[in-house]
Amino acid sequence: MKTNLLNISGVQVLSKENQRQIFGQVFVEETGDISKCGCSCSGAVTGPAYCQRLIACPQVYTCPQV
């Protein structure tokens, strides 16, 4: 596998020192209205699909007893 990657033009093996100098993170700009997101009493994220990427809910059951 490593041999195949090195056959791609522009690919080079990074030394341990070069790897230590790389800083960064993945940034994905989320679009959507966070006010539409919420949590159910069972701790599940509610709202549009993007809400699961924007917020987290406590995993505590807080529903009132019926």
Side-chain angles (χ1 to χ4, degrees):
M1 180 72 168
K2 183 177 178 181
T3 306
N4 292 337
L5 290 175
L6 294 176
N7 290 333
I8 300 172
S9 66
V11 173
Q12 63 183 6
V13 176
L14 296 177
S15 68
K16 292 285 185 185
E17 184 58 35
N18 286 342
Q19 292 177 32
R20 284 189 202 103
Q21 294 174 1
I22 297 173
F23 295 99
Q25 62 186 8
V26 174
F27 176 76
V28 177
E29 185 176 339
E30 296 292 339
T31 57
D33 185 2
I34 197 167
S35 67
K36 295 180 181 177
C37 304
C39 298
S40 70
C41 61
S42 63
V45 175
T46 60
Y50 61 80
C51 291
Q52 293 180 359
R53 295 186 302 270
L54 295 177
I55 69 168
C57 298
Q59 298 300 310
V60 178
Y61 195 84
T62 56
C63 296
Q65 298 297 324
V66 180

